Amino acid sequence: MMQSASLKLFAEFNNLESRHTTPYRLSFSGRNFPVRLNYVNQWKRNCNLTARASESDAGGGGAESEQNTTSFYERNQMYALMKQQMELAALSENYEEAARLRDSLKLFEEEEPVLRLQGLMKEAIANERFEDAARYHKQIKEIAPHYLLKCSSDATTLGIRVQAKSVYIEGRSQPLRGQYFFAYRIRITNNSNRPVQLLKRHWIVTNANEKSEDVWGIGVLGEQPVLLPNDSFEYSSACPLTTPSGRMEGEYEMKHIDKVGSKTFNVTIAPFALSSLGDVTDNI
């Protein structure tokens, strides 16, 4: 038997008045990527965007690694912005602009170090060159440590299984303002032989700058569901971020309800990624 509680998520684009379109070029790896930035009047001061990238291979000290990580997340922000502009151009039937942005995105994907390494790693695995795959994997981790974290997770504690999956909601995100919107869905299954009740939740949300926030609450979506053996409970919720990627993890506090005075116990929610690029490791 399955219980379900869901949060309705909207994916429309907001209507923005006083919209201006200004040509802009993103400089990356010695090449310029033409893109038009749509923005409201008060956003003008935020439109001085640059994309910086390091094409160096693995190695170097901590400062270089930190710089590479910062560059990756800046490029990630640029990628999300360009992709959103392409969708807006297509929605407004400006197909010439949409085609230009599509070509810019394709070139960006070919030049972006992490995406390039991901392609090389995939090719190496397909050809059973596992030593090369391990080297590419290591380089990706040095540039963007959490890039390989999947947008889903699955963990079981004392017979309680928690499955999580996130998705980027482009229509609710505004990269120019540093606003990225993610939805996630949770499925909790009681695979034990005792009934349990979910009492509290604790989330740790970390953005791309490694800034974490703890979120505590009673139950989930105002409920404290009871799960009998072989019972499941699903719900959806959302999480805004100020960076184009991050991660979530946490725990639920539960108790067995078949015995009076049972102690509570914590059920792990394994880490999963929040990524505007989606689950980039699916095809690896």
Side-chain angles (χ1 to χ4, degrees):
M1 183 174 64
M2 179 181 298
Q3 306 171 52
S4 180
S6 61
L7 172 67
K8 185 175 181 182
L9 299 173
F10 298 91
E12 311 84 48
F13 288 95
N14 296 326
N15 290 324
L16 298 177
E17 298 180 355
S18 302
R19 184 184 295 279
H20 297 269
T21 300
T22 299
Y24 201 86
R25 305 185 73 83
L26 302 179
S27 177
F28 174 62
S29 297
R31 301 197 184 190
N32 289 323
F33 295 84
V35 58
R36 293 181 183 274
L37 303 182
N38 292 332
Y39 58 92
V40 187
N41 281 335
Q42 59 265 36
W43 293 1
K44 289 181 179 179
R45 66 186 62 184
N46 296 326
C47 290
N48 182 23
L49 302 176
T50 59
R52 300 189 301 275
S54 170
E55 291 189 307
S56 60
D57 287 334
E64 181 179 351
S65 177
E66 182 179 352
Q67 182 179 5
N68 287 341
T69 300
T70 302
S71 296
F72 169 72
Y73 292 123
E74 289 176 349
R75 297 193 302 273
N76 197 346
Q77 183 178 31
M78 295 300 171
Y79 185 87
L81 174 61
M82 293 168 67
K83 188 174 180 181
Q84 186 179 63
Q85 293 303 306
M86 182 183 69
E87 297 292 338
L88 285 170
L91 284 174
S92 62
E93 299 184 355
N94 188 351
Y95 299 121
E96 181 179 351
E97 179 72 7
R100 179 164 52 249
L101 287 164
R102 177 204 61 202
D103 294 341
S104 295
L105 280 168
K106 183 177 180 180
L107 181 60
F108 192 93
E109 291 168 356
E110 292 174 353
E111 300 260 345
E112 207 288 317
V114 174
L115 295 179
R116 177 176 59 84
L117 286 168
Q118 188 258 343
L120 291 172
M121 183 170 66
K122 178 182 176 181
E123 180 182 355
I125 293 173
N127 294 324
E128 298 183 357
R129 294 185 288 107
F130 300 119
E131 294 83 2
D132 290 338
R135 179 163 54 88
Y136 298 139
H137 187 278
K138 181 180 179 181
Q139 292 178 22
I140 290 174
K141 289 187 69 175
E142 290 181 350
I143 296 174
H146 304 294
Y147 178 80
L148 297 175
L149 183 64
K150 295 180 72 67
C151 294
S152 60
S153 69
D154 191 337
T156 299
T157 306
L158 297 178
I160 310 300
R161 183 182 184 186
V162 180
Q163 298 165 278
K165 185 172 181 61
S166 70
V167 63
Y168 176 56
I169 307 299
E170 188 171 348
R172 293 289 301 276
S173 301
Q174 298 183 38
L176 278 175
R177 288 182 167 180
Q179 297 174 358
Y180 301 87
F181 195 83
F182 299 89
Y184 61 91
R185 188 160 185 82
I186 303 293
R187 179 186 175 95
I188 307 169
T189 304
N190 183 3
N191 291 325
S192 74
N193 58 3
R194 301 179 64 184
V196 298
Q197 183 175 18
L198 192 159
L199 302 176
K200 299 178 182 179
R201 70 185 184 277
H202 173 214
W203 284 105
I204 304 172
V205 183
T206 306
N207 68 17
N209 298 319
E210 289 300 308
K211 181 179 180 181
S212 295
E213 179 180 358
D214 290 274
V215 180
W216 287 272
I218 302 298
V220 290
L221 297 184
E223 298 187 43
Q224 291 181 308
V226 172
L227 287 83
L228 301 176
N230 301 315
D231 196 2
S232 293
F233 179 85
E234 289 190 33
Y235 72 96
S236 298
S237 191
C239 177
L241 275 187
T242 58
T243 58
S245 61
R247 66 186 185 275
M248 290 181 68
E249 58 195 296
E251 58 192 7
Y252 296 118
E253 183 179 334
M254 296 188 176
K255 72 173 181 180
H256 293 112
I257 58 173
D258 55 347
K259 291 184 179 180
V260 177
S262 294
K263 293 183 178 180
T264 62
F265 61 97
N266 292 330
V267 174
T268 298
I269 308 167
F272 58 94
L274 305 173
S275 173
S276 61
L277 296 176
D279 218 346
V280 294
T281 60
D282 269 351
N283 296 322
I284 295 180

